[in-house]
Amino acid sequence: MPRAYDRDAWRHRVIRCGKYILPVTSLSPPRRTVPAPTQQAAFAELEARCPDRVHTFSIGIDPPQPITQFRIIDHGRSYLETVQPTTAARVTIHTVDGGGAVGRACCLVGPDRTAIRETGFHLDRGITGRFSLRKLDPRYWQRRHRGDLTARFRLPEPEHVPGRVVVLNNWQAHNFYHWLVEIAPRIAAVNLASLEVSGYLVDHQCGYQRRVLEMLGIPASQWIQPHVRLHLTADHLLWVSQPGETLLRHFVRMLEPGIQATGAPTQQRLLYISRRKAAHRRLVNECALEHELEALGFEAHCFEDIPFERQAALMREASLVVTVHGAALANAMFARPGTRIVEIYPQGRSNIDLFPHWSRLYDLDHQVVMASCSKFRQRLTVPIHDVLDAVHAALGHAR
């Protein structure tokens, strides 16, 4: 029998160093270990093999998204780019009775010492997926060890929590965008299914993470911080599919009571979000751009200095937002339909349709302005006249 989980135990105290979460015992060898899984399987395969231990049920369907277009301005040249259509997808909750979650990325262990493939860290990015690496590359073995539990010999000794525990974390839990868009919205599935839950296995070391959990009404006694030395088991481990429109919209509705937007829908609040405090993708000519935007009535904000609920309220009040490609645009989920977004995007980056896709979900008008990008820390230089063209087009002005 695994020992009971004690959140106040010394072994579960962690130190946060930037994006890293380090347990205080990380420099010492684990005192007790158990054998690692010997095989890997998908949820569907495990459910067919062990229907009494693994269950899947649907709580809705994300509707398909049509093909849409957004405008790109690239050094005076304007053209349209497409956001590809999506198909309908089921919103599902997977339950593993007696399952375990290992590490900060929460790789799941099912019956018969089987690692669950969908929860593997980096399995589709660097091992067998679309960014596969050769076995001679050291990163292959690093990612294999971190995400494929069958590549390990031993795991930390399991600790047990009675009842239902919702597993939220993935390998990108440290990032504001991914935490807000991919991790926290899974809580909406629990709310939609009206499930009683004992705990949530999720990062909560950052202020915005704690504030979102508080706004969702989750008591701190139910927060469980995953870390590299944690192997948590529960009577019922719940894992939710990738959030789509259904969960994202319900997630916003759950947070709305805590977002005190003051601007009326008819007001025209113009917002510029700066990245001057970010390590990457800063604008070299930001002062000149801010001067031009202030003359048009824009107000500049640095979201790193603003509490989460105020960030969401500012986005709700804005009618036009100008910002550099970055995590702050995750707050677009709180914008009113019809809000116009002008995104300054670094040339050479591969996910240009990321935020236009989210704008499509939330009925926003999206434009992209290309900026030249340096190799060192991705310093950006944007043609100011291109940004002003996009702003005047969004405002309906002629230049």
Side-chain angles (χ1 to χ4, degrees):
M1 282 291 294
R3 59 181 171 180
Y5 172 78
D6 179 7
R7 61 179 291 143
D8 298 320
W10 173 257
R11 62 185 175 275
H12 295 311
R13 296 184 183 180
V14 298
I15 302 169
R16 177 174 167 243
C17 301
K19 67 180 182 179
Y20 300 102
I21 301 292
L22 304 175
V24 294
T25 58
S26 60
L27 297 179
S28 61
R31 294 181 59 187
R32 300 177 183 176
T33 59
V34 296
T38 57
Q39 56 185 328
Q40 222 181 80
F43 273 115
E45 183 181 343
L46 271 180
E47 188 174 15
R49 190 196 310 170
C50 307
D52 56 329
R53 297 273 308 275
V54 181
H55 323 278
T56 300
F57 64 95
S58 174
I59 58 172
I61 297 179
D62 288 325
Q65 297 293 327
I67 189 170
T68 56
Q69 292 183 320
F70 60 99
R71 181 178 176 231
I72 296 177
I73 304 177
D74 187 357
H75 293 78
R77 185 170 63 97
S78 178
Y79 59 95
L80 296 178
E81 187 62 73
T82 59
V83 181
Q84 295 303 317
T86 61
T87 58
R90 290 189 175 276
V91 183
T92 57
I93 297 178
H94 303 278
T95 304
V96 183
D97 296 342
V102 179
R104 186 182 176 191
C106 298
C107 301
L108 293 193
V109 181
D112 304 325
R113 288 171 58 191
T114 303
I116 300 179
R117 177 167 183 80
E118 288 93 333
T119 66
F121 171 46
H122 259 320
L123 288 185
D124 63 343
R125 295 178 62 89
I127 298 180
T128 60
R130 57 191 181 278
F131 301 110
S132 57
L133 299 171
R134 295 172 181 263
K135 291 186 178 181
L136 295 178
D137 191 325
R139 291 175 297 176
Y140 173 92
W141 300 104
Q142 179 195 44
R143 295 179 181 183
R144 176 80 183 266
H145 176 77
R146 295 169 77 181
D148 183 0
L149 297 182
T150 64
R152 306 188 193 184
F153 294 108
R154 311 285 294 183
L155 300 179
E157 180 188 22
E159 300 178 55
H160 190 75
V161 174
R164 291 191 184 95
V165 172
V166 184
V167 180
L168 299 176
N169 261 24
N170 62 20
W171 67 278
Q172 294 173 313
H174 63 276
N175 180 277
F176 175 82
Y177 169 82
H178 293 284
W179 195 91
L180 188 65
V181 170
E182 298 177 3
I183 294 175
R186 298 181 185 209
I187 298 171
V190 179
N191 183 269
L192 285 170
S194 302
L195 298 175
E196 292 292 331
V197 173
S198 303
Y200 294 84
L201 196 57
V202 62
D203 267 16
H204 57 267
Q205 299 301 308
C206 297
Y208 70 85
Q209 294 171 339
R210 293 191 293 271
R211 187 63 189 127
V212 169
L213 294 174
E214 290 168 355
M215 292 169 68
L216 292 173
I218 301 173
S221 59
Q222 293 185 348
W223 306 349
I224 302 173
Q225 175 61 55
H227 56 78
V228 68
R229 289 293 178 86
L230 181 62
H231 179 184
L232 193 79
T233 64
D235 295 336
H236 312 283
L237 271 187
L238 273 60
W239 190 86
V240 183
S241 60
Q242 178 80 3
E245 182 178 354
T246 301
L247 294 187
L248 289 168
R249 290 191 182 278
H250 190 73
F251 175 64
V252 172
R253 286 194 292 270
M254 292 173 68
L255 290 175
E256 276 178 348
I259 300 172
Q260 302 298 324
T262 57
T266 56
Q267 284 184 324
Q268 201 171 66
R269 187 166 195 170
L270 310 180
L271 194 65
Y272 172 68
I273 304 174
S274 172
R275 281 183 62 88
R276 67 172 61 95
K277 293 191 175 182
H280 296 84
R281 296 196 300 280
R282 294 184 191 174
L283 273 179
V284 174
N285 56 342
E286 184 175 58
C287 290
L289 176 62
E290 279 193 23
H291 177 75
E292 295 288 345
L293 292 178
E294 285 176 4
L296 294 173
F298 278 79
E299 52 187 88
H301 293 275
C302 194
F303 272 17
E304 286 88 345
D305 300 329
I306 302 175
F308 167 76
E309 59 269 33
R310 185 58 189 150
Q311 295 181 33
L314 283 171
M315 192 65 75
R316 177 63 58 88
E317 296 166 3
S319 61
L320 172 58
V321 179
V322 176
T323 186
V324 176
H325 175 86
L329 269 175
N331 290 292
M333 66 171 65
F334 304 108
R336 295 188 178 102
T339 300
R340 289 149 293 184
I341 307 290
V342 176
E343 177 188 2
I344 300 172
Y345 191 85
Q347 287 181 325
R349 200 173 173 89
S350 61
N351 58 342
I352 193 170
D353 62 345
L354 175 64
F355 287 113
H357 167 71
W358 296 114
S359 292
R360 175 175 61 183
L361 285 183
Y362 300 113
D363 302 320
L364 311 179
D365 178 78
H366 203 102
Q367 295 184 77
V368 172
V369 177
M370 304 301 294
S372 55
C373 180
S374 69
K375 291 184 178 180
F376 177 72
R377 293 190 179 275
Q378 301 179 38
R379 294 291 187 256
L380 304 181
T381 304
V382 64
I384 294 177
H385 59 84
D386 284 355
V387 178
L388 296 180
D389 282 345
V391 167
H392 283 287
L395 294 174
H397 298 167
R399 289 195 71 195

